[in-house]
Amino acid sequence: MPSGHIQQDTPQARPVGPRPLAPIPFDVESVFPELAGTARTVTLLYPRAGQPGPSDSSIGGPLLWPAGEPWPMCAEPDHYKPLDEPVGPDPVAMVPVVQLYARDVPDLVFPAGTDLLQILWCPLVHEDDEYAANPRLRWRNTALTAADAAGGQPPRPHTAEEDYLPRPCTVSPTPAVEYPNWDLPEGLGEQLGERFEALREERGFDYFEVATTQQSKIGGYPSWTQPPDWPECTACGTRMEHLLSITATEAGMGRWLPLDERNPGQDHAATPSWRAEADPAALDTFGHHMYLGGGGIYFFVCRTCPDTPHTHRHDC
């Protein structure tokens, strides 16, 4: 179904989380006491191709949208589609990227009076310091929005970069615990490098593969693929909090692959979680199919300021 299409709810569109996960195969802080206190709670989203409705949490699904609020359009003069002719003067309709209801993501803190988070973006590249889609974020009250929700279909972009058009996916918010990857305390990565390698040789798994996550998620650490670029709030100067990551990566094997999606042809009793492979019949449903340059787009908020300002970062 095209991104941005509104459809009727279907019972099977409800989130099917949390997913069953294998436990981490070692006690991180016993083996690496230097990492004590760095664990963070994360909610993994596990987007899977489906038919979410406006009342479902989703990636790329239709949004619960107020009838009296115009659909957001992007009229930035510098947006473009690589290798194509210049984009015309007509504004480009934004596309739904994320919708999350508080009932589905209990670890996500919503501003007072809201229980619905929505993210849209212009599906073109923008000539700013991000060179990525141009997102907008909305916090809403579900009851107030549903009381006068828009019907029909929102406008679709007249041109778009395919890498920024998500296919509709249900999500299965799954709580977990992760440790830092690029966000290891300064100098500690080099200090622990040989011990990380020894862990792999002695036990057969890699710290980064079983203790850190690179997939779409809420909270935890950003899914950096390059050195961290934490933003500071322009209003109060404090470092902003990681809200969520939308990434090009979904676990098709390894420890973060849900147990119920493992290849039934594998000997599960003999195959450790970090070597598990996905059911080939399910692989086509994994992920939102956005490339995002190979990395992701990360959203941050400041909860110190009363209006919860937000910003984003992109790396590839």
Side-chain angles (χ1 to χ4, degrees):
M1 172 173 288
S3 177
H5 197 294
I6 290 182
Q7 62 176 47
Q8 296 299 314
D9 286 336
T10 54
Q12 64 269 28
R14 301 294 299 157
V16 291
R19 309 304 296 270
L21 298 177
I24 191 167
F26 77 116
D27 187 315
V28 172
E29 295 181 29
S30 293
V31 177
F32 303 109
E34 297 89 342
L35 296 180
T38 63
R40 287 190 179 178
T41 299
V42 62
T43 300
L44 307 175
L45 291 176
Y46 290 111
R48 299 294 184 261
Q51 294 185 331
S55 62
D56 294 307
S57 292
S58 65
I59 289 181
L63 305 182
L64 183 70
W65 197 262
E69 184 175 327
W71 191 259
M73 311 290 285
C74 181
E76 295 292 334
D78 61 357
H79 59 201
Y80 67 99
K81 184 176 180 180
L83 307 180
D84 275 29
E85 296 295 323
V87 176
D90 293 338
V92 175
M94 291 197 163
V95 296
V97 179
V98 175
Q99 177 164 268
L100 296 171
Y101 286 87
R103 61 170 189 257
D104 299 323
V105 285
D107 287 333
L108 177 58
V109 178
F110 285 75
T114 70
D115 59 357
L116 176 61
L117 168 64
Q118 296 173 334
I119 295 176
L120 308 90
W121 63 39
C122 172
L124 291 170
V125 177
H126 291 72
E127 285 284 1
D128 57 14
D129 59 355
E130 296 295 332
Y131 292 96
N134 185 11
R136 295 185 189 175
L137 184 151
R138 300 280 195 278
W139 301 99
R140 299 193 188 279
N141 179 286
T142 299
L144 294 178
T145 306
D148 187 27
Q153 302 177 20
R156 299 198 61 207
H158 58 76
T159 186
E161 171 60 35
E162 294 298 318
D163 287 348
Y164 295 118
L165 288 177
R167 66 174 175 176
C169 290
T170 59
V171 293
S172 300
T174 301
V177 173
E178 70 170 343
Y179 284 83
N181 186 338
W182 276 98
D183 281 299
L184 284 166
E186 186 174 358
L188 195 55
E190 292 184 10
Q191 179 184 335
L192 296 179
E194 290 186 4
R195 288 161 59 195
F196 285 157
E197 185 60 33
L199 180 76
R200 183 205 299 266
E201 293 178 0
E202 294 169 6
R203 307 198 190 189
F205 54 79
D206 182 274
Y207 161 83
F208 296 100
E209 294 172 345
V210 302
T212 73
T213 68
Q214 296 295 309
Q215 61 216 79
S216 296
K217 59 187 174 181
I218 301 165
Y221 291 95
S223 299
W224 307 113
T225 56
Q226 298 179 13
D229 181 22
W230 285 87
E232 292 184 353
C233 177
T234 56
C236 68
T238 61
R239 190 169 92 162
M240 302 180 84
E241 171 188 326
H242 174 235
L243 178 69
L244 61 90
S245 291
I246 301 299
T247 75
T249 303
E250 284 298 319
M253 63 176 297
R255 187 239 161 167
W256 299 108
L257 175 70
L259 296 176
D260 59 344
E261 291 182 323
R262 294 175 67 174
N263 186 347
Q266 275 190 310
D267 183 347
H268 294 177
T271 305
S273 65
W274 58 92
R275 290 182 182 153
E277 298 176 356
D279 181 351
L283 269 175
D284 284 346
T285 70
F286 285 22
H288 45 61
H289 278 192
M290 293 186 290
Y291 179 59
L292 304 180
I297 297 182
Y298 319 125
F299 295 85
F300 301 85
V301 294
C302 175
R303 298 195 186 277
T304 301
C305 294
D307 55 347
T308 318
H310 63 273
T311 190
H312 69 283
R313 293 287 187 266
H314 172 244
D315 70 9
C316 56

